[in-house]
Amino acid sequence: MGVRVMVLDEHRLLAEALASALKLRGHRVLAAAAPAAGAAELVISRAPEVCLLGTATPAEPGVFEPVVRIKRERPQIAVVVLGPVPSPRGIAAAFAAGASGYVRHDERIEGVERALAKARAGEVAISPQLLQGAFAELLNPAAQPDDEGSRLLRLLTPREVEVLVRVAEGEDTRLIAAGMEIAPSTARTHVQRVLMKLGVGSRLEAAALAARTGLLDRAGPVQVAADFPGGP
C-alpha cells in the first residue's frame, strides 16, 4: 500500500525527481516543492502521512523549526529528513526536533521507501550503519575533517558555479543560456564541464552531489554573474 507523502527540498529539481520516482512506485505524492518559507504551513494544510524534508545544512540553528511546528500542530504526521552525511550533529538535531527518521541524500529509492514505511508505522527510520557512523564521529571527531564541498567548489570557475546553481534549481539549457546571457551552445559546454569536474554523469547527479556536500550553500546565492561579469 502506497504512502501519502509530501516531498520538500531546498532544490526543486531534487524534490520533483524524488516525487516522480515515488509516484512510479505507487505512492501518493501530495506535493513536491522547494519553499523558501512556509514549509510547516504547507505540510499542516495537506496533512500527509509522511513528509520528506530535505536540507543541505542540518546542523545550522533553526533548520528544523518547521519540524517542531509540524509535530506540535499535527503530531500524527511523520517527518523524515533527507540530509548530507557525515552530519552527526544534524542527525541529532533532526531527532531532537521530532523527526521520525534521517536518510542520506544519495540513498537509493528502496532505502527511501523503507524509511517511509517505518515512519508511517511509528518506528524510527534510520539505518544502523548511518547511526553507527554518526555516533563514531561524535565520539571521535576528526581533527581536520575533509570538507568535500569546499574541495569541489575550488574545482569550478565562477561561471561554472553559477551554472551548477541553475542546474540545481531545475533550469534547462535554454533557461541557463537566457539567464546568463550566453548562447545555448556555450551553456551546454559549461554544463558538460561541470559534470566532468564533479565526476558525475547527469545533471540530477550533479545536483544531488552539490546538495549532499553543501557545495551550493558555500557558493552563496546566485550573485556570481554580478560579481564576475567577464567570467569565462
Side-chain angles (χ1 to χ4, degrees):
M1 181 179 176
V3 177
R4 198 169 70 252
V5 61
M6 290 180 63
V7 183
L8 306 181
D9 196 283
E10 297 158 339
H11 306 297
R12 183 174 296 277
L13 179 63
L14 296 182
E16 292 180 348
L18 181 54
S20 295
L22 290 171
K23 285 179 181 178
L24 289 174
R25 299 174 78 92
H27 300 284
R28 183 184 175 192
V29 179
L30 303 183
E41 290 85 348
L42 182 60
V43 175
I44 291 167
S45 66
R46 297 291 183 91
E49 293 176 300
V50 183
C51 169
L52 288 172
L53 179 66
T55 177
T57 56
E60 284 192 2
V63 167
F64 296 123
E65 283 302 317
V67 181
V68 173
R69 182 174 173 191
I70 291 167
K71 298 306 293 184
R72 182 176 65 242
E73 298 191 23
R74 289 290 183 96
Q76 71 274 21
I77 299 175
V79 180
V80 174
V81 173
L82 301 172
V85 172
S87 182
R89 292 187 179 181
I91 293 172
F95 282 103
S100 299
Y102 191 103
V103 178
R104 294 170 59 124
H105 263 135
D106 57 355
E107 178 63 83
R108 296 175 64 88
I109 189 64
E110 293 84 1
V112 176
E113 283 191 297
R114 285 193 294 271
L116 288 177
K118 285 187 174 183
R120 181 174 64 175
E123 301 175 22
V124 174
I126 184 170
S127 71
Q129 297 86 354
L130 186 55
L131 194 58
Q132 182 179 10
F135 277 123
E137 185 171 332
L138 285 172
L139 293 172
N140 301 289
Q144 293 182 326
D146 179 30
D147 189 339
E148 187 180 2
S150 294
R151 180 183 65 81
L152 292 174
L153 188 60
R154 289 194 295 270
L155 296 177
L156 305 177
T157 66
R159 278 298 226 191
E160 289 165 353
V161 172
E162 181 177 1
V163 168
L164 179 58
V165 171
R166 293 179 181 278
V167 165
E169 292 299 326
E171 293 188 10
D172 59 18
T173 300
R174 179 182 57 81
L175 288 175
I176 292 173
M180 297 178 66
E181 298 183 347
I182 56 178
S185 59
T186 303
R188 280 192 294 271
T189 298
H190 281 312
V191 170
Q192 289 304 314
R193 286 178 179 169
V194 168
L195 299 185
M196 180 184 66
K197 288 184 177 182
L198 295 183
V200 297
S202 69
R203 297 180 183 217
L204 182 58
E205 287 182 79
L209 177 63
R212 177 175 62 81
T213 60
L215 190 158
L216 297 181
D217 298 282
R218 289 170 173 80
V222 184
Q223 57 185 20
V224 179
D227 292 344
F228 301 93

